[in-house]
Amino acid sequence: MQSGISASQELKSALGELIVSSAQRGLIARIDKETIVPGATIPSSASSFLDDLSNLSSHIQPNEALYILLRRSDSLSSPDKSLVAVTYVPNAAPVRQKMLFASTRLTLVRELGGEHFPESIFTTEPSELTAEGWQKHVQHTESSNPLTAEEQSLQDIKDAEALESRGTRGQSLAQGGRLALKADDEIAGALQKLGQGGDNLVQLRMDPKSETLKLVASSSATPSTIASSIDPKEPTYSFYRHDDSEASIVFISTCPSGAKIKERMLYAASRGNVVSLAQNDAGLKVAKKLEATNPDEVTEQVILGEFKVEKAEVKQGFSKPKRPGRR
């Protein structure tokens, strides 16, 4: 599995029960400790698939990603036992959760048996999981009309999902000893100067359209001014040379919560490759790595704390009492 997450045996058993049940419309699944586990069952209280979608509302939260496995036939007693796999990833869900659910959804279907799922959809809004929202999905699927802005946003998420899965392959991205990461030529020079004693802060940014790494700025900073030097609105990779005796290089990745989902996934998927580029192309040795949502989290205390040397406690051994002296 691309994300290293697998479906539990309990989930497979619950799916088997769903397929033969005449009272269950669907099944909720969540990711818990690197495993996809079953959650609540969705009862059938109506005579059609669309009407039963109203039973999903109590399970859908604006900040929690879910897998929802649904029986597609209107009549649950029908010989048609096909299902639809719904991946619900709301914009307010934690970034790591979004990545896990997005990168695992296709393999989830494969593990549970692709023959059961002729359809798999990706949603981000609760309204998409209502009767009206589902009808819009069906109409779009059956039409050849251009994508709307909302639909294009959804397609961007799917593209980001594919990018994230590529980014987890590590060494498979290497070609001829160089990473298959598109980067402007000026970046290597700026990073080399950083290592040679020039400006001690180099900032880079990914262009989401071209997926190319670009140089944002090369400047001087101190531990107390790093936060104010980094744009709080844009995801940024920063390389900072500390003023310790080793001139240690610190890699700082910041990705504001307001960034688009595709940008977040793009940055998360590319972090390792950016560090490798700095080490392989510019000869830097990255000593520390920091990740933060907003630049103001990268305080002077945080930077100095990375280089704080704890004094080892010297324990005194047991000493024998002195022999009494002669009088």
Side-chain angles (χ1 to χ4, degrees):
M1 182 171 278
Q2 292 167 348
S3 59
I5 295 174
S6 60
S8 67
Q9 187 57 50
E10 291 79 7
L11 178 60
K12 295 177 182 178
S13 298
L15 179 69
E17 295 176 7
L18 171 64
I19 291 175
V20 299
S21 174
S22 60
Q24 290 183 30
R25 173 57 66 183
L27 173 67
I28 300 292
R30 293 180 170 86
I31 296 177
D32 180 35
K33 298 178 181 178
E34 307 301 311
T35 304
I36 308 173
V37 298
T41 58
I42 310 298
S44 176
S45 58
S47 59
S48 71
F49 172 81
L50 290 178
D51 289 339
D52 268 343
L53 289 178
S54 62
N55 294 329
L56 296 178
S57 60
S58 62
H59 301 279
I60 297 174
Q61 302 298 325
N63 57 356
E64 181 187 12
L66 295 172
Y67 292 123
I68 308 172
L69 311 178
L70 297 171
R71 287 278 303 279
R72 190 64 180 85
S73 177
D74 284 332
S75 173
L76 297 182
S77 59
S78 166
D80 180 5
K81 304 298 183 182
S82 62
L83 298 102
V84 56
V86 178
T87 301
Y88 169 66
V89 181
N91 291 327
V95 175
R96 173 172 167 76
Q97 190 179 87
K98 292 177 183 178
M99 292 178 59
L100 288 178
F101 273 78
S103 62
T104 306
R105 72 184 187 101
L106 299 181
T107 309
L108 167 68
V109 170
R110 188 163 61 245
E111 282 204 0
L112 294 180
E115 69 277 8
H116 298 306
F117 298 92
E119 186 177 12
S120 176
I121 71 169
F122 195 107
T123 63
T124 61
E125 299 291 340
S127 60
E128 297 176 82
L129 297 174
T130 63
E132 182 180 0
W134 199 276
Q135 287 176 321
K136 289 181 179 180
H137 161 70
V138 172
Q139 291 170 0
H140 170 68
T141 302
E142 295 175 347
S143 72
S144 57
N145 294 332
L147 297 178
T148 65
E150 292 181 355
E151 290 163 345
Q152 183 60 58
S153 177
L154 178 57
Q155 185 61 49
D156 288 344
I157 295 171
K158 293 179 179 178
D159 292 342
E161 169 195 338
L163 174 69
E164 194 278 335
S165 66
R166 292 201 305 271
T168 60
R169 296 179 188 173
Q171 293 302 318
S172 67
L173 287 173
Q175 296 178 350
R178 297 175 64 87
L179 290 171
L181 174 70
K182 292 185 290 185
D184 284 352
D185 295 337
E186 57 187 344
I187 291 177
L191 291 175
Q192 288 172 355
K193 291 180 181 178
L194 173 75
Q196 295 167 357
D199 289 337
N200 68 344
L201 181 66
V202 172
Q203 299 181 59
L204 311 176
R205 186 170 298 152
M206 292 291 293
D207 178 1
K209 292 184 178 180
S210 63
E211 297 180 7
T212 300
L213 188 65
K214 295 183 175 295
L215 177 65
V216 175
S218 180
S219 60
S220 296
T222 65
S224 63
T225 63
I226 290 177
S228 60
S229 300
I230 301 174
D231 192 332
K233 297 181 180 179
E234 298 288 344
T236 306
Y237 299 123
S238 302
F239 288 89
Y240 165 70
R241 187 185 69 248
H242 193 50
D243 61 354
D244 63 334
S245 60
E246 301 294 327
S248 301
I249 302 298
V250 182
F251 172 68
I252 305 169
S253 174
T254 52
C255 190
S257 56
K260 295 180 180 179
I261 292 179
K262 180 175 180 178
E263 288 181 320
R264 297 183 196 179
M265 290 187 174
L266 179 61
Y267 270 76
S270 302
R271 272 196 300 260
N273 293 336
V274 172
V275 171
S276 295
L277 180 146
Q279 295 182 147
N280 297 337
D281 288 17
L284 298 181
K285 181 180 179 181
V286 177
K288 304 286 184 179
K289 298 177 185 178
L290 298 176
E291 295 179 22
T293 300
N294 299 309
D296 59 13
E297 298 172 33
V298 188
T299 62
E300 179 179 18
Q301 183 178 8
V302 169
I303 295 294
L304 297 180
E306 289 292 319
F307 296 92
K308 184 178 180 180
V309 178
E310 298 289 345
K311 293 184 179 180
E313 182 180 351
V314 179
K315 295 183 179 180
Q316 294 183 346
F318 175 77
S319 57
K320 295 181 180 180
K322 295 182 179 180
R323 296 177 62 182
R326 293 182 179 180
R327 293 183 180 178

